[in-house]
């Protein structure tokens, strides 16, 4: 009977897991074969005393992505995860890909101990967030991924979301982050940050043009290629957010006509990559990452330009941007835990 031989290989630790791989080499002679034993710690090394984080609405898509980012964050630790309808169940019953992470079971919001956490990601649906956030302890840092605190004008919130705002005091004092280049210092000092909607994120690509007074028209039509299907025609709920952010950048009232196509988004300074001349950004190249790829092309009409920018809707358009905001709020580099490259293919 012939004997089978197995070989295990390990790479230099600086190439794969920085400060996370312990490599021990044991030379053994077995039918002339060299064996290399590897001890690999695939978990991110946490700080000795991690910052305690609670996630409200962990059973939704943005909540699960927040959890996935948290387990690899070097300074954050998860204290509790809420999901009222799934209370008592493990998160892996909803998202099996997280089964290996040793996460706490889901609990109801009413059972969460907010005195034992430093910060909260709120991933609850629009309209349910205001009542919960206004009752949270004052020491907490909060990043809200819903639309409940995005608009300064409460009457606009009621117009676009169909209900009166129930936490107007917080609405006035919160901070909206559309891009950290402009709001960097404000975010650092904020208690509550309203994470931008995914499509307003993409409008950041217009800010440099507005600041440089390249764009002066008060009416713009934002139409992006790579169409899947159009929706929210003439009445998309992210319109007031985009107009609010662009008006701030231009120091004058900006009004847009907006019909959006499902696919792409945008971001801010540290994660934006301007591609080389002629290269068209593709959503394939940002999938699963917090990066934005963009490029500018001359239009066939003289004096006009076409800007194409792409991001992962769930990462840079929601959970990754929220992680950037909380990093800043807690005095960490905003890129902490967010530098993973895109998935391919």
């Amino acid at each position: 009977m012939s004997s089978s031989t197995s070989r295990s290989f390990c790479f230099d630790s600086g190439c794969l897991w920085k400060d996370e791989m312990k490599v021990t080499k044991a030379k053994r002679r077995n039918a002339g074969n060299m064996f290399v034993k590897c001890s690999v710690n695939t978990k991110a090394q946490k700080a000795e005393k991690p910052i305690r984080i609670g996630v409200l609405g962990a059973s939704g898509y943005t909540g699960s992505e927040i959890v996935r980012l948290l387990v690899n964050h070097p300074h954050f630790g998860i204290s509790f995860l809420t999901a009222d309808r799934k209370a008592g169940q493990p998160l892996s019953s909803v998202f099996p890909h997280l089964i290996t992470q040793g996460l706490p079971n889901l609990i109801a919001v009413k059972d969460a101990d907010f005195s034992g956490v430093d910060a909260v990601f709120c991933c609850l649906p629009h309209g349910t967030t205001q009542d919960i956030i206004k009752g949270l302890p004052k020491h907490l840092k909060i990043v809200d991924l819903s639309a409940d605190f995005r608009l300064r004008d409460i009457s606009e919130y009621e117009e676009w979301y169909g209900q009166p705002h129930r936490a107007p005091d917080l609405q006035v004092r919160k901070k909206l982050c559309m891009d950290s280049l402009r709001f960097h210092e404000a975010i650092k000092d904020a208690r509550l940050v309203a994470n931008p909607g995914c499509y307003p994120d993409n409008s950041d690509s217009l800010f440099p043009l507005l600041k440089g007074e390249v764009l002066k028209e008060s009416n713009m039509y934002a139409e992006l290629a790579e169409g899947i299907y159009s929706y929210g025609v003439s009445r998309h709920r992210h319109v007031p957010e985009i107009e609010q952010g662009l008006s701030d950048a231009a120091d004058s009232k900006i009004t847009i006509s907006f019909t959006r196509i499902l696919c792409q988004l945008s971001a801010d300074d540290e994660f934006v990559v301007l591609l080389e001349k002629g290269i068209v950004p593709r959503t394939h190249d940002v999938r699963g990452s917090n990066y934005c790829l963009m490029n500018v092309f001359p239009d066939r009409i003289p004096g006009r330009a076409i800007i194409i920018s792409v991001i992962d809707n769930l990462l840079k358009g929601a959970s990754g941007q929220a992680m950037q905001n909380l990093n800043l709020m807690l005095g960490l580099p905003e890129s902490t835990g967010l530098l993973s490259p895109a998935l391919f293919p």
Side-chain angles (χ1 to χ4, degrees):
M1 182 174 67
S2 62
S3 61
S4 62
T5 304
S6 64
R7 291 182 175 89
S8 59
F9 301 92
C10 67
F11 299 87
D12 181 82
S13 60
C15 299
L16 295 180
W17 298 280
K18 184 177 181 181
D19 298 327
E20 293 179 11
M21 179 183 283
K22 294 180 179 178
V23 180
T24 59
K25 294 184 178 180
K27 295 182 179 180
R28 297 186 304 171
R29 191 168 297 277
N30 183 354
N33 293 292
M34 178 73 73
F35 286 81
V36 182
K37 288 182 65 179
C38 302
S39 174
V40 180
N41 176 16
T42 57
K43 293 260 189 176
Q45 291 185 353
K46 296 284 187 180
E48 288 187 9
K49 189 177 181 182
I51 298 168
R52 302 163 300 175
I53 307 295
V55 182
L56 307 182
S59 63
Y61 287 136
T62 58
S64 69
E65 278 299 281
I66 288 288
V67 172
R68 189 176 69 84
L69 295 172
L70 283 172
V71 296
N72 286 312
H73 196 289
H75 301 289
F76 294 163
I78 298 174
S79 293
F80 64 74
L81 306 171
T82 80
D84 285 357
R85 288 182 296 176
K86 303 286 186 180
Q89 299 182 32
L91 185 58
S92 59
S93 67
V94 186
F95 298 108
H97 68 289
L98 297 173
I99 196 171
T100 61
Q101 301 305 315
L103 299 168
N105 283 352
L106 298 166
I107 60 173
V109 173
K110 65 179 179 61
D111 296 325
D113 180 10
F114 292 100
S115 66
V117 295
D118 304 296
V120 165
F121 286 106
C122 190
C123 308
L124 299 171
H126 310 313
T128 65
T129 303
Q130 303 155 46
D131 289 329
I132 290 174
I133 287 183
K134 71 181 182 182
L136 294 181
K138 304 302 181 185
H139 75 278
L140 287 179
K141 298 284 189 178
I142 305 164
V143 180
D144 178 31
L145 281 78
S146 81
D148 281 4
F149 293 96
R150 289 175 184 161
L151 300 178
R152 296 191 198 100
D153 189 332
I154 294 175
S155 64
E156 277 198 347
Y157 176 85
E158 184 170 356
E159 176 187 352
W160 288 89
Y161 290 90
Q163 57 184 311
H165 203 282
R166 297 188 297 278
D169 181 51
L170 282 175
Q171 179 73 347
V172 171
R173 291 187 287 112
K174 64 92 179 77
K175 301 294 183 183
L176 170 69
C177 171
M178 284 189 70
D179 76 300
S180 60
L181 181 62
R182 295 183 300 131
F183 293 103
H184 210 277
E185 296 305 317
I187 295 169
K188 287 181 179 180
D189 298 330
R191 178 197 170 218
L192 167 61
V193 166
N195 212 56
C198 48
Y199 294 141
D201 255 334
N202 202 39
S203 69
D204 275 6
S205 58
L206 297 176
F207 292 158
L209 300 179
L210 286 166
K211 281 297 185 183
E213 297 186 353
V214 176
L215 299 179
K216 296 183 181 180
E217 296 83 357
S218 61
N219 295 288
M220 297 178 292
Y221 183 79
E223 180 181 6
L224 297 181
E226 196 180 345
I228 304 300
Y229 68 90
S230 298
Y231 69 101
V233 178
S234 80
R235 190 72 187 166
H236 196 286
R237 67 188 183 194
H238 286 325
V239 166
E241 286 178 66
I242 297 172
E243 290 182 343
Q244 179 176 272
L246 295 180
S247 297
D248 286 348
D251 294 322
S252 63
K253 178 63 177 175
I254 296 292
T255 304
I256 65 169
S257 297
F258 181 76
T259 298
R260 199 64 170 115
I261 296 170
L262 285 175
C263 262
Q264 25 177 263
L265 301 175
S266 180
D268 69 41
D269 54 320
E270 182 154 5
F271 289 97
V272 170
V273 178
L274 182 64
L275 300 180
E276 294 182 8
K277 183 178 179 180
I279 298 178
V280 179
R282 306 184 310 164
T283 53
H284 287 321
D285 298 327
V286 294
R287 185 169 64 94
S289 81
N290 198 55
Y291 289 95
C292 166
L293 303 184
M294 66 176 297
N295 216 337
V296 182
F297 302 87
D299 194 4
R300 65 182 181 84
I301 300 173
R304 289 178 56 172
I306 299 171
I307 301 172
I308 300 178
S309 58
V310 295
I311 69 172
D312 184 308
N313 185 47
L314 201 52
L315 265 291
K316 185 56 183 171
S319 304
Q321 180 67 56
M323 185 70 76
Q324 273 184 259
N325 288 335
L326 190 60
N327 281 336
L328 287 172
M329 295 167 76
L330 294 171
L332 300 171
E334 64 179 311
S335 61
T336 306
L338 292 169
L339 294 175
S340 295
L343 300 172
F344 189 84

